[in-house]
Amino acid sequence: MNAIGQTLEGKTLALKIKEELKKEVAELKEKFNCAPLLSAVQIGDNPSAEVYFKSQKKCADELGVLYQRHQLPADIAQDEFFAFLDSLNKDKNVSAVFVQMPLPKQIDARQFSGHMFPDKDAEGMHPENLGRLFFGKARIIPCTAAAVMELLKSTGVNLYGKEAVIVGHSEIVGKPLSLLLLEQFATTSVCHIATGERGLTQEHVGKAEVLVVAVGRAHLIKGSWIKEGAIVVDVGINKLGDKIVGDVEFEEAAKRASWITPVPGGVGPLTVTMLMRNLIEAAKLKIK
Ligand code: NAD
């Protein structure tokens, strides 16, 4: 039987992956005279995004890649924004582009995701990149889903035939993750708001040998629902009083799970590392 309550630390894993990425960056510079550059775009002011931009810059510095930040006005017209994106798409020095979400209401999110050059799409949300994911040929993978897969991989547990349950079917986490888990032949179920409304989430969670929760509701998943020995990855970030907590009741769940991510400190620290991995992948695509 697996040990119970082992913590799946994102920070430790991020350090390990960053060491590998540093070597790739050095090789790109040495062999191809290529210095990967990430262009990060923000529209308007969003104080809560500031932390993410800062951690992007810090991670870029650690890896030795270039980083530039563009601040656009909150009321920028869609055409103007797309013209700006085109200039980044055409700029030979820019390897990949990150755009902070959510977009202001005058910009159509669907049109935007198709507007980015797929090989420069740092977040893997262009329809072509999502199509590649569908066909098991992914190159640039949505960052949070990729972070979850790295955490699962680090447990050393073979996902083949495992009962995997994802709670949350968002485009950035649940849906791409379902494809990545299927790719590993996990038997994958996806729960969402309608599952919750029918009161069936507990039943699904109780079957999960691998459970990933990405909802955004503090302690939605009770510790007592967790199957003995399950791997639990909690993507949720919620403010509860003056504390940040996940979607899973950590203390109780840790008594039953074999592995469990803390919040904060689980998925979060890996997400920016995955963004940098996508940047490096984009730089390699340019060379090819
Ligand atoms: P979202 O709001 O786009 O989607 C929420 C999902 O939860 C939907 O699929 C919805 O149907 C489902 N849902 C809502 N209520 C439910 C219920 N009662 N029972 C079952 N399912 C229910 O969410 P998102 O953008 O994927 O984010 C989810 C959480 O993950 C948020 O807390 C967000 O902050 C966090 N997040 C963290 C990271 C990270 O790097 N750590 C990255 C992205 C998102």
Side-chain angles (χ1 to χ4, degrees), residues 79-121:
D79 288 354
E80 224 180 310
F81 172 56
F82 287 167
F84 180 74
L85 275 185
D86 282 341
S87 71
L88 295 179
N89 282 339
K90 283 183 198 137
D91 187 334
K92 287 194 172 62
N93 294 317
V94 174
S95 315
V97 180
F98 165 87
V99 178
Q100 178 63 39
M101 295 291 140
L103 295 170
K105 57 182 182 322
Q106 72 273 19
I107 295 168
D108 183 295
R110 284 272 175 266
Q111 280 194 51
F112 153 71
S113 64
H115 212 90
M116 188 93 89
F117 182 43
D119 287 3
K120 289 193 178 187
D121 163 32

Side-chain angles (χ1 to χ4, degrees), residues 52 143-145 147-148 166-175 190-198 201 213-218 220-221 225 234-239 245-247 263 265-272:
Y52 195 41
C143 304
T144 312
V148 173
I166 304 167
V167 187
H169 76 322
S170 70
E171 289 173 4
I172 59 162
V173 191
K175 283 184 186 173
V190 184
C191 303
H192 41 68
I193 185 72
T195 322
E197 282 168 2
R198 287 196 63 202
T201 309
V213 188
V215 172
R217 274 186 55 186
L220 173 76
I221 306 298
W225 297 0
D234 190 349
V235 182
I237 304 171
N238 311 286
K239 231 174 158 212
V245 300
D247 292 346
V263 178
V267 180
L270 266 177
T271 311
V272 70

